[in-house]
Coordinates of all heavy atoms in Angstrom, one line a residue:
S1 N 15.7 -4.1 -3.7 CA 15.0 -3.1 -2.8 C 13.6 -2.9 -3.3 O 13.3 -2.9 -4.5 CB 15.8 -1.8 -2.9 OG 17.1 -1.9 -2.3
T2 N 12.7 -2.7 -2.3 CA 11.3 -2.4 -2.6 C 10.9 -1.1 -1.9 O 11.4 -0.8 -0.9 CB 10.4 -3.6 -2.2 OG1 10.6 -3.8 -0.8 CG2 10.7 -4.8 -3.0
V3 N 9.9 -0.5 -2.5 CA 9.3 0.7 -1.9 C 7.8 0.6 -2.0 O 7.3 0.1 -3.0 CB 9.8 2.0 -2.5 CG1 11.3 2.2 -2.2 CG2 9.6 2.1 -4.0
Y4 N 7.1 1.1 -1.0 CA 5.7 1.0 -1.0 C 5.1 2.4 -0.6 O 5.7 3.1 0.3 CB 5.1 0.0 0.0 CG 5.5 -1.5 -0.4 CD1 6.6 -2.1 0.0 CD2 4.6 -2.2 -1.2 CE1 6.9 -3.4 -0.4 CE2 4.8 -3.5 -1.6 CZ 6.0 -4.1 -1.1 OH 6.3 -5.4 -1.5
A5 N 4.0 2.7 -1.2 CA 3.3 3.9 -0.7 C 2.7 3.6 0.7 O 2.4 2.4 1.0 CB 2.1 4.2 -1.6
D6 N 2.7 4.6 1.5 CA 2.2 4.4 2.9 C 0.8 3.8 2.9 O 0.4 3.0 3.8 CB 2.2 5.7 3.7 CG 3.6 6.2 4.0 OD1 4.5 5.4 4.0 OD2 3.7 7.4 4.3
S7 N 0.0 4.1 2.0 CA -1.4 3.7 1.9 C -1.6 2.2 1.7 O -2.6 1.6 2.0 CB -2.2 4.5 0.9 OG -1.6 4.3 -0.4
V8 N -0.5 1.5 1.2 CA -0.6 0.1 0.9 C 0.3 -0.8 1.7 O 0.3 -2.0 1.6 CB -0.4 -0.2 -0.6 CG1 -1.4 0.7 -1.4 CG2 1.0 0.1 -1.0
K9 N 1.2 -0.2 2.5 CA 2.1 -0.9 3.3 C 1.4 -1.9 4.2 O 0.5 -1.6 4.9 CB 3.0 0.0 4.1 CG 4.1 0.7 3.4 CD 4.9 1.6 4.3 CE 6.0 2.3 3.5 NZ 6.8 3.2 4.4
G10 N 1.9 -3.2 4.2 CA 1.3 -4.2 5.0 C 0.2 -4.9 4.3 O -0.3 -5.9 4.8
R11 N -0.3 -4.4 3.2 CA -1.4 -5.0 2.4 C -1.0 -5.5 1.1 O -1.5 -6.5 0.6 CB -2.6 -4.0 2.3 CG -3.1 -3.6 3.6 CD -4.4 -2.8 3.5 NE -4.2 -1.5 2.7 CZ -4.8 -1.3 1.5 NH1 -5.6 -2.2 1.0 NH2 -4.5 -0.1 0.9
F12 N -0.1 -4.7 0.4 CA 0.3 -5.1 -1.0 C 1.7 -5.6 -0.9 O 2.6 -5.2 -0.1 CB 0.2 -3.9 -1.9 CG -1.1 -3.4 -2.2 CD1 -2.3 -3.9 -1.5 CD2 -1.3 -2.3 -3.1 CE1 -3.5 -3.4 -1.8 CE2 -2.6 -1.8 -3.4 CZ -3.7 -2.4 -2.8
T13 N 2.0 -6.5 -1.8 CA 3.4 -7.1 -2.0 C 3.8 -7.1 -3.4 O 3.1 -7.7 -4.3 CB 3.5 -8.5 -1.4 OG1 3.1 -8.4 0.0 CG2 4.9 -9.0 -1.4
I14 N 4.9 -6.5 -3.7 CA 5.5 -6.6 -5.1 C 6.5 -7.7 -5.2 O 7.3 -7.9 -4.2 CB 6.0 -5.2 -5.5 CG1 6.4 -5.2 -7.0 CG2 7.3 -4.8 -4.7 CD1 6.7 -3.8 -7.5
S15 N 6.5 -8.4 -6.2 CA 7.5 -9.5 -6.4 C 7.7 -9.7 -7.9 O 7.0 -9.1 -8.8 CB 7.0 -10.8 -5.8 OG 5.8 -11.2 -6.3
Q16 N 8.6 -10.6 -8.3 CA 8.9 -10.8 -9.7 C 9.4 -12.2 -9.9 O 9.9 -12.9 -9.0 CB 10.0 -9.8 -10.2 CG 11.4 -10.0 -9.6 CD 11.5 -9.4 -8.3 OE1 10.8 -8.4 -7.9 NE2 12.3 -10.0 -7.4
D17 N 9.1 -12.7 -11.1 CA 9.7 -14.0 -11.6 C 10.5 -13.6 -12.8 O 10.1 -13.4 -13.9 CB 8.5 -14.9 -12.0 CG 9.0 -16.3 -12.4 OD1 10.1 -16.4 -12.8 OD2 8.2 -17.2 -12.2
N18 N 11.8 -13.7 -12.5 CA 12.8 -13.2 -13.6 C 12.8 -14.2 -14.8 O 12.9 -13.7 -15.9 CB 14.2 -13.2 -13.0 CG 14.4 -12.0 -12.0 OD1 13.6 -11.0 -12.0 ND2 15.3 -12.1 -11.1
D19 N 12.6 -15.5 -14.5 CA 12.5 -16.4 -15.6 C 11.3 -16.2 -16.6 O 11.4 -16.5 -17.8 CB 12.5 -17.8 -15.1 CG 13.7 -18.3 -14.4 OD1 14.8 -17.7 -14.7 OD2 13.7 -19.2 -13.6
K20 N 10.3 -15.7 -16.0 CA 9.1 -15.4 -16.8 C 9.0 -13.9 -17.2 O 8.0 -13.5 -17.9 CB 7.8 -15.7 -16.0 CG 7.7 -17.2 -15.8 CD 6.4 -17.5 -15.0 CE 6.2 -19.0 -14.8 NZ 4.9 -19.3 -14.1
N21 N 10.0 -13.1 -16.9 CA 10.0 -11.7 -17.2 C 8.7 -11.0 -16.7 O 8.1 -10.2 -17.4 CB 10.2 -11.4 -18.7 CG 11.5 -12.0 -19.1 OD1 12.6 -11.8 -18.5 ND2 11.5 -12.6 -20.3
T22 N 8.3 -11.4 -15.5 CA 7.0 -10.9 -15.0 C 7.1 -10.3 -13.7 O 7.7 -10.9 -12.8 CB 6.0 -12.1 -15.0 OG1 5.8 -12.7 -16.3 CG2 4.6 -11.7 -14.5
L23 N 6.4 -9.2 -13.5 CA 6.3 -8.5 -12.2 C 4.9 -8.8 -11.7 O 3.9 -8.8 -12.4 CB 6.5 -7.0 -12.4 CG 6.4 -6.1 -11.2 CD1 7.7 -6.3 -10.4 CD2 6.2 -4.7 -11.6
Y24 N 4.8 -9.0 -10.4 CA 3.5 -9.2 -9.7 C 3.2 -8.2 -8.6 O 4.1 -7.6 -8.1 CB 3.5 -10.6 -9.1 CG 3.7 -11.7 -10.1 CD1 5.0 -12.3 -10.1 CD2 2.7 -12.2 -10.9 CE1 5.3 -13.3 -11.0 CE2 3.0 -13.3 -11.7 CZ 4.2 -13.8 -11.8 OH 4.5 -14.9 -12.7
Q25 N 2.0 -8.0 -8.4 CA 1.6 -7.3 -7.2 C 0.4 -8.0 -6.6 O -0.7 -8.2 -7.2 CB 1.2 -5.8 -7.5 CG 0.8 -5.0 -6.3 CD 1.0 -3.6 -6.4 OE1 2.1 -3.0 -6.2 NE2 -0.1 -2.9 -6.9
Q26 N 0.6 -8.4 -5.3 CA -0.5 -9.0 -4.6 C -1.2 -7.9 -3.8 O -0.5 -7.2 -3.0 CB 0.1 -10.1 -3.6 CG -1.0 -10.8 -2.8 CD -1.8 -11.7 -3.6 OE1 -1.4 -12.4 -4.5 NE2 -3.1 -11.8 -3.2
L27 N -2.5 -7.8 -4.0 CA -3.3 -6.8 -3.3 C -4.2 -7.5 -2.3 O -5.1 -8.2 -2.7 CB -4.1 -6.0 -4.3 CG -3.4 -5.1 -5.3 CD1 -2.7 -5.9 -6.4 CD2 -4.5 -4.2 -5.9
N28 N -3.9 -7.3 -1.0 CA -4.7 -8.0 0.0 C -5.5 -6.9 0.8 O -5.1 -5.7 0.8 CB -3.8 -8.7 1.0 CG -3.1 -9.9 0.4 OD1 -3.7 -10.5 -0.6 ND2 -2.0 -10.3 0.9
S29 N -6.5 -7.4 1.5 CA -7.3 -6.5 2.4 C -7.7 -5.2 1.6 O -7.6 -4.1 2.0 CB -6.5 -6.1 3.6 OG -6.1 -7.2 4.4
M30 N -8.3 -5.5 0.4 CA -8.7 -4.4 -0.5 C -9.7 -3.4 0.2 O -10.6 -3.9 0.9 CB -9.2 -5.0 -1.8 CG -8.2 -5.8 -2.6 SD -7.0 -4.8 -3.4 CE -8.0 -4.0 -4.7
K31 N -9.5 -2.2 -0.1 CA -10.3 -1.1 0.4 C -11.0 -0.4 -0.8 O -10.4 -0.5 -1.9 CB -9.6 -0.1 1.2 CG -8.9 -0.7 2.4 CD -8.0 0.4 3.1 CE -7.3 -0.1 4.3 NZ -6.5 0.9 5.0
A32 N -12.0 0.3 -0.6 CA -12.7 1.0 -1.6 C -11.8 2.0 -2.3 O -11.8 2.1 -3.6 CB -13.9 1.7 -1.1
E33 N -10.9 2.6 -1.6 CA -10.0 3.6 -2.2 C -8.9 2.9 -3.0 O -8.1 3.7 -3.7 CB -9.4 4.4 -1.1 CG -8.7 3.7 0.0 CD -9.6 3.5 1.2 OE1 -10.8 3.2 1.1 OE2 -9.1 3.6 2.4
D34 N -8.8 1.6 -3.0 CA -7.8 0.9 -3.9 C -8.4 0.8 -5.3 O -7.6 0.4 -6.2 CB -7.5 -0.4 -3.3 CG -6.8 -0.4 -2.0 OD1 -5.9 0.5 -1.8 OD2 -7.0 -1.2 -1.1
A35 N -9.6 1.1 -5.6 CA -10.2 1.0 -6.9 C -9.5 2.0 -7.8 O -9.4 3.2 -7.5 CB -11.7 1.2 -6.9
A36 N -9.0 1.5 -8.9 CA -8.2 2.3 -9.8 C -7.8 1.5 -11.1 O -8.0 0.3 -11.1 CB -7.0 2.9 -9.2
M37 N -7.3 2.2 -12.1 CA -6.6 1.6 -13.1 C -5.1 1.4 -12.7 O -4.5 2.4 -12.3 CB -6.7 2.4 -14.4 CG -6.0 1.8 -15.6 SD -6.9 0.4 -16.3 CE -8.2 1.3 -17.1
Y38 N -4.6 0.2 -12.7 CA -3.3 -0.1 -12.2 C -2.4 -0.2 -13.5 O -2.7 -1.0 -14.4 CB -3.3 -1.3 -11.4 CG -3.7 -1.1 -10.0 CD1 -5.1 -0.9 -9.7 CD2 -2.8 -1.0 -8.9 CE1 -5.5 -0.7 -8.4 CE2 -3.3 -0.7 -7.6 CZ -4.6 -0.6 -7.4 OH -5.1 -0.3 -6.1
F39 N -1.3 0.4 -13.4 CA -0.3 0.4 -14.5 C 1.0 -0.1 -14.0 O 1.5 0.2 -12.9 CB 0.0 1.8 -15.0 CG -1.2 2.5 -15.6 CD1 -2.1 3.3 -14.9 CD2 -1.5 2.4 -17.0 CE1 -3.2 3.9 -15.4 CE2 -2.6 3.0 -17.6 CZ -3.4 3.7 -16.8
C40 N 1.7 -0.9 -14.9 CA 3.0 -1.4 -14.7 C 4.0 -0.4 -15.5 O 3.6 0.0 -16.6 CB 3.1 -2.8 -15.2 SG 4.8 -3.5 -15.2

């Protein structure tokens, strides 16, 4: 299951590679308001 903030729905995608123990976030169609420190 995935959940997204309304502000990023349709633009950001969360995914993972279990073999690499890695979580990803694809950020598309970036807006000025997306500027931030991003934490996992």
Side-chain angles (χ1 to χ4, degrees):
S1 296
T2 58
V3 294
Y4 294 90
D6 288 341
S7 60
V8 307
K9 285 182 179 177
R11 299 189 298 119
F12 292 6
T13 302
I14 189 169
S15 61
Q16 68 282 328
D17 185 331
N18 292 336
D19 291 337
K20 295 182 178 180
N21 299 317
T22 301
L23 181 76
Y24 302 98
Q25 183 158 270
Q26 181 70 36
L27 293 71
N28 294 330
S29 302
M30 297 285 290
K31 302 176 180 180
E33 54 263 40
D34 294 322
M37 182 75 76
Y38 283 75
F39 297 90
C40 175

